[in-house]
C-alpha cells in the first residue's frame, strides 16, 4: 500500500495513471473514487461494481466478503483509490482487512488532497502498513523552466522569461493551472494566427482565467 498526497491540481492522479500504464500496461487496475464521506458499506458496493461481479450486490455487509475475496484471489490486482481524504476509519479498515488476507495479491494506491496524510495518520494499523508516502508539491520556478517546455509543443519555443511570467501571474506552479492556461494559449494563437507565445497572447489567455494575480 502507498499514498500519494498533495494540493488540488498538483497532478497526483494523472501522474499515478501515467506511471501505472508505463510500468504495468497489462496490469488489472481498478479505479475507485468517492466524492463524499463513504461508509464501509459504500466501499463494499463500489468494490463489487469495480470488480464486475455478477448479480446484484448483497443486502448484508457480511455477504460481500466471500465474493470479493474470491475475485481478488484470482490474480494480482491494483486498486487506485482517489480522493482518499474523504475516508473514515471504518472505510480504511475494510481495505486493510482485504489487503491483509494472504491469499490475495493486492496493491492499494491511495491518492488524496493535503488532508489525506492527517486522515491516514489517525489509523495506526493502516498507517503502519504503508510502504511509500509521496508528497506532491507545486512546481518550483526552476522546475517550471525545465518542465513546462516539455509539457506541450506550444511552450517549447517560448521565451523562458514569458514562461516565468505566466507562472508568476497565472499558473503558480500548479499543474492543472498550467493545463488550463495551455488550452487558452493554444486558442489565442489559433485566433490571432500567431506561432509563438508572447505577452499579448498571454494577456488574452489571462483574461479567460479567473483569479490570476
Amino acid at each position: 500500500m502507498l499514498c500519494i498526497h498533495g494540493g488540488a491540481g498538483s497532478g497526483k492522479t494523472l501522474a499515478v495513471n501515467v506511471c501505472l500504464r508505463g510500468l504495468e500496461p497489462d496490469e488489472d487496475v481498478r479505479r475507485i473514487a468517492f466524492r463524499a464521506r463513504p461508509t464501509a458499506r459504500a466501499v463494499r458496493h463500489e468494490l463489487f461494481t469495480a470488480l464486475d461481479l455478477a448479480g446484484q450486490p448483497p443486502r448484508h455487509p457480511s455477504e460481500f466478503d466471500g465474493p470479493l475475496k474470491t475475485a481478488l484471489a484470482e490474480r494480482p490486482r491494483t486498486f487506485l483509490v482517489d480522493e482518499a481524504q474523504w475516508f473514515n476509519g471504518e472505510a480504511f479498515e475494510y481495505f486493510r482487512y482485504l489487503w491483509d488476507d494472504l491469499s490475495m495479491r493486492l496493491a492499494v494506491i491511495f491518492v488524496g488532497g493535503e488532508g489525506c496524510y492527517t486522515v491516514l495518520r489517525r489509523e495506526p494499523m493502516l498507517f503502519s502498513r504503508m510502504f511509500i508516502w509521496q508528497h506532491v508539491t507545486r512546481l518550483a520556478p526552476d522546475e517550471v523552466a525545465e518542465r513546462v517546455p516539455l509539457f506541450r509543443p506550444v511552450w517549447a519555443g517560448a521565451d523562458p522569461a514569458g514562461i516565468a511570467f505566466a507562472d508568476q501571474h497565472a499558473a503558480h506552479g500548479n499543474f492543472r493551472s498550467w493545463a488550463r492556461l495551455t488550452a487558452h494559449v493554444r486558442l489565442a494563437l489559433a485566433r490571432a494566427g500567431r506561432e509563438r507565445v508572447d505577452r499579448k497572447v498571454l494577456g488574452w489567455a489571462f483574461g479567460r482565467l479567473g483569479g490570476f494575480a
Side-chain angles (χ1 to χ4, degrees):
M1 287 194 284
L2 58 143
C3 179
I4 315 295
H5 60 108
S10 56
K12 305 178 298 294
T13 303
L14 174 62
V16 171
N17 279 314
V18 169
C19 288
L20 285 173
R21 285 195 295 267
L23 292 172
E24 299 288 350
D26 299 322
E27 183 73 15
D28 190 348
V29 178
R30 303 301 169 107
R31 292 163 176 81
I32 304 167
F34 297 92
R35 303 304 173 187
R37 300 189 182 280
T39 62
R41 179 173 177 80
V43 171
R44 291 182 178 97
H45 271 270
E46 189 65 26
L47 294 179
F48 189 94
T49 302
L51 291 169
D52 300 319
L53 299 184
Q56 295 296 317
R59 304 183 70 176
H60 301 288
S62 60
E63 297 173 351
F64 278 90
D65 296 350
L68 289 176
K69 285 189 172 186
T70 298
L72 291 172
E74 290 175 351
R75 58 184 180 275
R77 296 180 188 268
T78 299
F79 283 146
L80 172 53
V81 185
D82 210 351
E83 303 295 347
Q85 72 274 8
W86 292 113
F87 279 37
N88 58 24
E90 184 186 26
F92 278 129
E93 174 63 20
Y94 195 69
F95 280 102
R96 186 200 64 79
Y97 164 72
L98 294 175
W99 187 84
D100 274 353
D101 192 311
L102 296 179
S103 67
M104 301 179 195
R105 292 171 291 172
L106 177 64
V108 182
I109 304 171
F110 294 108
V111 180
E114 288 289 11
C116 188
Y117 178 88
T118 302
V119 171
L120 279 166
R121 191 70 179 86
R122 298 193 194 110
E123 307 300 326
M125 294 183 69
L126 188 68
F127 188 85
S128 67
R129 287 162 170 78
M130 288 291 169
F131 182 59
I132 292 175
W133 295 92
Q134 180 64 55
H135 186 209
V136 181
T137 62
R138 291 177 179 268
L139 294 171
D142 59 329
E143 293 173 320
V144 169
E146 177 186 356
R147 297 172 191 178
V148 167
L150 304 176
F151 174 48
R152 286 289 186 268
V154 69
W155 300 111
D159 180 8
I163 293 176
F165 180 82
D167 189 59
Q168 179 182 358
H169 292 277
H172 310 294
N174 183 278
F175 186 79
R176 186 178 297 157
S177 295
W178 269 108
R180 292 172 57 226
L181 177 61
T182 300
H184 288 298
V185 163
R186 292 178 64 186
L187 181 60
L189 290 171
R191 289 187 174 183
R194 295 168 178 260
E195 295 184 355
R196 289 174 58 87
V197 180
D198 55 25
R199 292 294 179 92
K200 186 173 182 179
V201 168
L202 288 176
W204 187 94
F206 288 175
R208 270 64 184 172
L209 296 171
F212 72 90

